[in-house]
Amino acid sequence: MRQGIHPAYGPVVFRDRAANHAFLTRSTMTSEKTIEWEDGHTYPVVDVEISNVSHPFYTGTARVLDTAGRVERFERRYGRQG
């Protein structure tokens, strides 16, 4: 690896404001805001709008589209072209 061309890689807290959930990981992202973590250390914090705790796919609240019903409704409305 060449020296001096890569961003700093260190611990960062990502905080999901919608679900009031935070997790500590390593990243190249930085922030001016900091937070004191459970271990007593202070880390930069990055606020995110959505994470696995609040995303509908992971929470099981995702809507399933009825594609068959949509096709039938289209065919009824515009007629089946032979």
Side-chain angles (χ1 to χ4, degrees):
M1 226 165 43
R2 288 184 13 202
Q3 298 295 322
I5 64 167
H6 300 285
Y9 183 71
V12 177
V13 174
F14 286 92
R15 181 172 51 187
D16 183 352
R17 302 292 278 193
N20 197 22
H21 175 73
F23 56 94
L24 177 65
T25 187
R26 295 179 57 87
S27 176
T28 58
M29 292 187 73
T30 60
S31 174
E32 298 294 323
K33 295 188 273 184
T34 60
I35 189 172
E36 185 170 334
W37 193 243
E38 301 159 352
D39 61 3
H41 293 92
T42 302
Y43 298 107
V45 63
V46 176
D47 290 326
V48 294
E49 294 182 21
I50 198 161
S51 70
N52 65 324
V53 176
S54 61
H55 193 281
F57 179 78
Y58 296 105
T59 61
T61 59
R63 295 185 319 160
V64 177
L65 294 176
D66 179 22
T67 55
R70 297 177 106 191
V71 170
E72 291 169 0
R73 189 172 58 218
F74 177 83
E75 288 177 352
R76 263 188 282 128
R77 184 177 296 162
Y78 299 107
R80 184 162 190 119
Q81 302 294 323

